[in-house]
CSV table of all heavy atoms in Angstrom, one decimal:
chain,number,residue,atom,x,y,z
B,420,ALA,N,-3.4,-14.4,4.0
B,420,ALA,CA,-4.6,-13.6,3.6
B,420,ALA,C,-4.8,-13.8,2.1
B,420,ALA,O,-3.9,-14.1,1.3
B,420,ALA,CB,-4.2,-12.1,3.8
B,421,GLY,N,-6.1,-13.6,1.7
B,421,GLY,CA,-6.5,-13.7,0.3
B,421,GLY,C,-6.0,-14.9,-0.4
B,421,GLY,O,-6.2,-16.1,0.1
B,422,THR,N,-5.3,-14.7,-1.5
B,422,THR,CA,-4.8,-15.9,-2.3
B,422,THR,C,-3.8,-16.7,-1.5
B,422,THR,O,-3.8,-18.0,-1.6
B,422,THR,CB,-4.1,-15.3,-3.5
B,422,THR,OG1,-5.2,-14.8,-4.4
B,422,THR,CG2,-3.4,-16.4,-4.3
B,423,SER,N,-3.0,-16.1,-0.6
B,423,SER,CA,-2.1,-16.9,0.1
B,423,SER,C,-2.8,-17.8,1.1
B,423,SER,O,-2.4,-19.0,1.4
B,423,SER,CB,-1.1,-16.0,0.9
B,423,SER,OG,-0.2,-15.4,0.0
B,466,VAL,N,1.9,-18.0,5.2
B,466,VAL,CA,2.1,-17.9,3.8
B,466,VAL,C,1.8,-16.5,3.3
B,466,VAL,O,0.8,-15.9,3.6
B,466,VAL,CB,1.1,-18.9,3.0
B,466,VAL,CG1,1.5,-18.9,1.5
B,466,VAL,CG2,1.2,-20.3,3.6
B,467,SER,N,2.8,-15.9,2.6
B,467,SER,CA,2.6,-14.5,2.1
B,467,SER,C,3.6,-14.3,1.0
B,467,SER,O,4.8,-14.3,1.3
B,467,SER,CB,2.9,-13.5,3.3
B,467,SER,OG,2.9,-12.2,2.7
B,468,GLN,N,3.1,-14.0,-0.2
B,468,GLN,CA,4.1,-13.8,-1.3
B,468,GLN,C,5.0,-12.7,-1.0
B,468,GLN,O,6.2,-12.7,-1.2
B,468,GLN,CB,3.4,-13.8,-2.7
B,468,GLN,CG,2.6,-12.5,-3.0
B,468,GLN,CD,3.6,-11.4,-3.5
B,468,GLN,OE1,4.7,-11.7,-4.0
B,468,GLN,NE2,3.1,-10.1,-3.5
B,469,SER,N,4.4,-11.5,-0.6
B,469,SER,CA,5.2,-10.3,-0.3
B,469,SER,C,6.0,-10.5,1.0
B,469,SER,O,7.1,-9.8,1.1
B,469,SER,CB,4.3,-9.1,-0.2
B,469,SER,OG,3.5,-9.3,0.9
B,470,GLY,N,5.5,-11.2,1.9
B,470,GLY,CA,6.1,-11.3,3.2
B,470,GLY,C,6.0,-10.0,4.0
B,470,GLY,O,6.6,-9.8,5.0
B,472,THR,N,2.6,-8.5,4.4
B,472,THR,CA,1.2,-8.2,4.7
B,472,THR,C,0.9,-8.0,6.2
B,472,THR,O,1.3,-8.9,7.0
B,472,THR,CB,0.3,-9.4,4.1
B,472,THR,OG1,0.4,-9.5,2.7
B,472,THR,CG2,-1.2,-9.3,4.5
B,475,THR,N,-0.9,-10.7,8.3
B,475,THR,CA,-0.2,-12.0,8.4
B,475,THR,C,1.0,-11.7,9.4
B,475,THR,O,1.2,-12.6,10.3
B,475,THR,CB,0.4,-12.4,7.0
B,475,THR,OG1,-0.7,-12.4,6.1
B,475,THR,CG2,1.0,-13.8,7.1
B,518,VAL,N,-1.6,-6.8,-9.7
B,518,VAL,CA,-2.1,-6.8,-8.3
B,518,VAL,C,-2.6,-8.2,-8.0
B,518,VAL,O,-2.5,-8.7,-6.9
B,518,VAL,CB,-3.2,-5.7,-8.2
B,518,VAL,CG1,-4.1,-6.0,-6.9
B,518,VAL,CG2,-2.5,-4.4,-8.1
B,519,ALA,N,-3.2,-8.9,-9.0
B,519,ALA,CA,-3.8,-10.2,-8.7
B,519,ALA,C,-2.6,-11.2,-8.6
B,519,ALA,O,-1.7,-11.3,-9.4
B,519,ALA,CB,-4.7,-10.7,-9.8
B,520,ALA,N,-2.6,-12.0,-7.5
B,520,ALA,CA,-1.6,-13.1,-7.4
B,520,ALA,C,-2.0,-14.2,-8.4
B,520,ALA,O,-3.1,-14.7,-8.4
B,520,ALA,CB,-1.6,-13.6,-6.0
B,527,GLN,N,3.3,-21.2,-4.6
B,527,GLN,CA,3.0,-21.5,-3.2
B,527,GLN,C,2.4,-22.9,-3.1
B,527,GLN,O,2.8,-23.7,-2.3
B,527,GLN,CB,2.0,-20.5,-2.6
B,527,GLN,CG,2.6,-19.1,-2.3
B,527,GLN,CD,1.5,-18.1,-2.0
B,527,GLN,OE1,0.3,-18.4,-2.2
B,527,GLN,NE2,1.9,-17.0,-1.5
B,604,LEU,N,-12.1,-15.6,-6.1
B,604,LEU,CA,-11.4,-14.3,-5.8
B,604,LEU,C,-10.9,-13.6,-7.0
B,604,LEU,O,-11.0,-12.4,-7.2
B,604,LEU,CB,-10.3,-14.6,-4.8
B,604,LEU,CG,-9.4,-13.4,-4.3
B,604,LEU,CD1,-10.3,-12.4,-3.7
B,604,LEU,CD2,-8.3,-13.9,-3.4
B,605,LYS,N,-10.3,-14.4,-8.0
B,605,LYS,CA,-9.8,-13.8,-9.2
B,605,LYS,C,-10.9,-13.1,-10.0
B,605,LYS,O,-10.7,-12.0,-10.4
B,605,LYS,CB,-9.1,-14.9,-10.1
B,605,LYS,CG,-7.8,-15.5,-9.6
B,605,LYS,CD,-6.6,-14.5,-9.6
B,605,LYS,CE,-6.4,-13.8,-8.4
B,605,LYS,NZ,-5.7,-14.4,-7.3
B,608,GLU,N,-12.0,-9.8,-8.0
B,608,GLU,CA,-11.1,-8.7,-7.9
B,608,GLU,C,-10.7,-8.1,-9.3
B,608,GLU,O,-10.4,-6.9,-9.4
B,608,GLU,CB,-9.9,-9.0,-7.1
B,608,GLU,CG,-9.0,-10.0,-7.7
B,608,GLU,CD,-7.7,-10.3,-6.9
B,608,GLU,OE1,-7.3,-9.5,-6.1
B,608,GLU,OE2,-7.1,-11.4,-7.1
B,722,LYS,N,-1.4,-4.0,-4.1
B,722,LYS,CA,-0.9,-5.4,-4.0
B,722,LYS,C,-0.5,-5.8,-2.6
B,722,LYS,O,-0.9,-6.8,-2.2
B,722,LYS,CB,0.3,-5.5,-5.0
B,722,LYS,CG,0.7,-7.0,-5.0
B,722,LYS,CD,1.4,-7.3,-6.3
B,722,LYS,CE,1.7,-8.8,-6.4
B,722,LYS,NZ,0.5,-9.6,-6.7
B,724,VAL,N,-0.7,-5.3,1.2
B,724,VAL,CA,-1.6,-4.6,2.2
B,724,VAL,C,-0.8,-4.4,3.5
B,724,VAL,O,-0.8,-5.3,4.3
B,724,VAL,CB,-2.9,-5.3,2.4
B,724,VAL,CG1,-3.8,-4.5,3.3
B,724,VAL,CG2,-3.6,-5.6,1.0
N,848,F6R,C1,-5.4,-11.7,-4.6
N,848,F6R,C2,-4.3,-11.1,-3.9
N,848,F6R,C3,-4.4,-10.9,-2.4
N,848,F6R,C4,-3.1,-11.4,-1.7
N,848,F6R,C5,-3.2,-11.0,-0.2
N,848,F6R,C6,-2.0,-11.5,0.6
N,848,F6R,O1,-5.1,-11.9,-6.0
N,848,F6R,O2,-3.2,-10.9,-4.5
N,848,F6R,O3,-5.5,-11.5,-1.9
N,848,F6R,O4,-3.0,-12.7,-1.9
N,848,F6R,O5,-3.3,-9.6,-0.1
N,848,F6R,O6,-0.9,-11.0,0.1
N,848,F6R,P1,0.5,-11.7,0.4
N,848,F6R,O7,0.6,-13.0,-0.2
N,848,F6R,O8,1.5,-10.7,-0.1
N,848,F6R,O9,0.6,-11.8,1.9
Side-chain angles (χ1 to χ4, degrees):
T422 290
S423 290
V466 187
S467 169
Q468 75 82 18
S469 63
T472 296
T475 309
V518 164
Q527 286 168 345
L604 179 57
K605 289 290 94 87
E608 65 177 340
K722 188 155 185 74
V724 186

